[in-house]
Structure formats: structure tokens, C-alpha cells
Amino acid sequence: MPAQQKKIIFCIAGVLSFACALGTAAAVGTQLWVTGTILCQTGALLVNATGQELDKFIGKIQYGLFSGERVRQCGLGGRPFQFSFFPDLLKIIPASIHVSVILFCTVLIVFALVGAGFFMFNAFGSPYETLHGPIGLYLWSFISCCCGCLIMILFSSEVKIHHLSEKIANFKEGSFTFKTHSEQFANSFWIVLVCSLVHFLNALLIRFAGFEFPFSKSKDSGTTTGAVDLMY
């Protein structure tokens, strides 16, 4: 492939990687990882609410990696409540998983920025070391993609398997019990998914630029080496 086309491909990959770093950093600071509704089960059972009457007992909840907000509805109107994971909820959430999600988000941001730098270096410079060449580009893209996948897996397990929304909804609630009525992953979660796909796309762009996959050997080189050995 001509050098000019390679520069264009590397520039595109670098811009995409940089955009993913900024997008992930912005997503980490928002409360839009999970949104949903919570049902005040105790209040609904007390008045035997059914049908449209249940609307008076359905509140809202949304949260991110550091903080969130819930609005409890128990028949007397909405009561908003702000909360933070650190240090308020550390005793009721799977703290190890939650901290791991934050750490992997940090690693994703760092390696996305590193990958963007090396893509630009390969576009406008002359690669002279292994980590500046194709193996390095594959490495940064692979690490970033894996971190994005781990973030989604760990956070999904925290929400679905460990019932994170219900634990938050029942935080500091005495006589009332809340159940998750509905929940869905919000924009910030899907940003991480898009970033993971972009890093996978970057690896394909590297291959499209003409670089072979790491540790791959061509048949011609092996044949030539064998012939030279026979000469000596």
C-alpha cells in the first residue's frame, strides 16, 4: 500500500483511539450507566394497589460509577435522594467488582491515549522499534479492546447478578422494601461498548494498511532460510 494511504489510515485510527479515550473519560464521570424504575413494594401491598394505582408507588433511579440519584414513590409524591458509592455504599455493594470496573476504565483511557500517540507516530514518523511498529499497534489496540470487554462484563454482573439497583434502592430504608421494576443500561455503558468495537476496528485497519499479524512468518522466508542453511 502507498505510504500516503498508510498515513491516512493511521491518522484515522489515531483520531478514533483519541476520541474513545475522551468518550470513556466523559462516561466515567456521569450518572448515566444505569437508569430504571423501582417499586415501593411495601406501600403497594398496604393499599393493595393494582393497575394504574401502581404508578403512585413507582420511583426512578439512575447511577454511574461514583454517584447517582433515586426518587422514591410511596404514594405521597416523589422524594429525591442523592448518594455516592464512596464511602456511603461500600458496605452493601460488591466493592471489589466496582473498584475493578473503575480501574479497567482508567487503564482503557490510558492505553487508548497511548495507542493514539503511536498511531500518529507511525503516520508521521519512521517506526524504528518494536513498540513503535505493527506489534506495538496491535498490542495497544488489543489491551484497550480487552479492557472495554472486561468493563462491560464486570459491570453487567454487578448490576444483574448482584442486584445492584435493589441494593441502592433499599439503602437506609427501614420499614419499606423496594424492588426493581425495570432497569436498562444507559448511554455511558454503550459508549464503552462502542469504544471496544472501535479498538477492534483499529486492529483491522492496521492489517488493512499492510502489516502482518504479530509473530506470523511467511512461507517464503522459511524456504529461503532453509536454502541458505543447506549452502553452509
Side-chain angles (χ1 to χ4, degrees):
M1 179 177 288
Q4 190 66 27
Q5 294 183 16
K6 286 186 178 182
K7 287 184 178 181
I8 295 174
I9 291 176
F10 287 143
C11 284
I12 293 174
V15 170
L16 290 175
S17 186
F18 183 73
C20 285
L22 293 181
T24 304
V28 169
T30 67
Q31 297 181 1
L32 297 177
W33 283 73
V34 174
T35 60
T37 57
I38 51 176
L39 172 65
C40 181
Q41 190 177 36
T42 304
L45 290 175
L46 284 175
V47 299
N48 197 21
T50 58
Q52 295 182 350
E53 295 176 349
L54 283 176
D55 294 340
K56 297 181 180 180
F57 298 92
I58 295 177
K60 297 180 180 179
I61 186 172
Q62 67 175 27
Y63 55 89
L65 299 181
F66 294 98
S67 61
E69 181 182 11
R70 76 183 187 199
V71 179
R72 63 194 297 272
Q73 293 261 27
C74 291
L76 299 175
R79 306 284 181 88
F81 175 74
Q82 298 281 343
F83 60 87
S84 61
F85 285 92
F86 304 98
D88 297 342
L89 301 177
L90 280 180
K91 294 181 179 180
I92 65 170
I93 66 172
S96 58
I97 297 178
H98 198 79
V99 172
S100 297
V101 172
I102 296 174
L103 289 177
F104 280 119
C105 284
T106 304
V107 174
L108 174 58
I109 294 170
V110 171
F111 278 95
L113 290 174
V114 171
F118 279 111
F119 274 117
M120 291 302 179
F121 181 85
N122 278 270
F124 299 104
S126 299
Y128 57 90
E129 293 181 2
T130 301
L131 293 182
H132 292 105
I135 295 180
L137 297 180
Y138 282 121
L139 178 64
W140 311 131
S141 299
F142 176 76
I143 292 176
S144 299
C145 184
C146 288
C147 286
C149 293
L150 287 173
I151 291 168
M152 291 184 293
I153 293 171
L154 291 175
F155 190 74
S156 298
S157 66
E158 186 180 8
V159 174
K160 299 299 183 180
I161 298 177
H162 294 276
H163 306 289
L164 184 60
S165 297
E166 284 190 5
K167 291 180 178 179
I168 294 173
N170 289 284
F171 176 63
K172 289 186 176 180
E173 291 292 341
S175 57
F176 288 94
T177 302
F178 291 86
K179 294 292 184 181
T180 302
H181 187 260
S182 66
E183 65 180 358
Q184 56 275 339
F185 295 108
N187 297 338
S188 296
F189 180 84
W190 299 118
I191 287 175
V192 177
L193 173 61
V194 171
C195 289
S196 302
L197 296 177
V198 166
H199 290 300
F200 179 75
L201 175 63
N202 282 347
L204 297 180
L205 288 177
I206 300 169
R207 185 66 185 91
F208 183 71
F211 285 153
E212 294 182 355
F213 287 106
F215 312 113
S216 63
K217 296 181 179 180
S218 62
K219 296 181 179 179
D220 295 338
S221 62
T223 305
T224 305
T225 304
V228 172
D229 292 339
L230 289 175
M231 290 178 63
Y232 293 94

